[in-house]
Amino acid sequence: MMRSTRSLAGVGAAVLVAALTACGSSGSSGGETPAASSGAATPGAGAATLSLVKTSLGSVVAGPDGRTVYMYDKDTKGSGKSSCTGPCLTAWPPVTATGTPKTSGISGTVGTITTADGKKQVTLGGWPLYYYAGDGAAGDVNGQGSQGIWWALTAKGVKVTASPSAAGAAGGYGNQGRFY
């Protein structure tokens, strides 16, 4: 029984590593079609509310469920489009909204862009926002610094480049480019 549990955990880790590797590759282009939905709801989908959550990085922006949101250095601020496509979206699902995003404690400009599949992706300070699949609970910052291109944001929409404390990096996924 222990062998099959470890085997499943290894397969899950391999899938996550593959998705993260795809996000960091330089071959990704904005013209790719996003991966098909697995049927799982995007965290915080609906009338998105951005607020601040306390983490090992300090206060950072979170979605309506308290999960940290991130920006992607390969996106172009204010361009109106996301550069995270295909397998990248498996590890970094977009923060989406069905209505006008609401805020609590956020001082940066909040808006939306239209994704390749027609959904509204929330933006802050011109940056498209994403969740990290490796963050399981409110306040997790496991995606911080992943591959040196994924960053949590301040209330003003400025990227946080600090590293999380050891307590905030439980699980080790995505911290400074290490995936396991």
Side-chain angles (χ1 to χ4, degrees):
M1 185 65 105
M2 198 60 133
R3 174 175 268 157
S4 73
T5 302
R6 286 184 185 169
S7 189
L8 287 175
V11 169
V15 169
L16 185 56
V17 169
L20 288 171
T21 302
C23 292
S25 71
S26 60
S28 178
S29 72
E32 293 178 25
T33 304
S37 171
S38 64
T42 298
T49 300
L50 297 180
S51 61
L52 295 177
V53 63
K54 291 184 191 246
T55 72
S56 60
L57 298 170
S59 292
V60 298
V61 179
D65 56 0
R67 287 189 50 210
T68 302
V69 301
Y70 299 89
M71 56 82 55
Y72 183 38
D73 275 340
K74 291 189 177 185
D75 285 336
T76 301
K77 182 178 179 175
S79 72
K81 66 181 184 175
S82 167
S83 296
C84 180
T85 60
C88 179
L89 294 170
T90 301
W92 301 94
V95 177
T96 59
T98 56
T100 302
K102 298 178 182 0
T103 63
S104 175
I106 305 299
S107 55
T109 303
V110 176
T112 60
I113 60 173
T114 303
T115 63
D117 61 358
K119 295 179 183 172
K120 285 185 174 183
Q121 183 173 6
V122 180
T123 63
L124 176 58
W127 293 110
L129 301 179
Y130 307 86
Y131 291 105
Y132 175 55
D135 285 346
D140 283 355
V141 289
N142 297 321
Q144 176 66 5
S146 180
Q147 300 178 343
I149 54 178
W150 292 96
W151 310 99
L153 294 165
T154 68
K156 292 180 180 181
V158 175
K159 73 179 172 181
V160 176
T161 57
S163 296
S165 69
Y173 292 110
N175 185 20
Q176 300 300 320
R178 292 184 299 272
F179 305 112
Y180 47 88

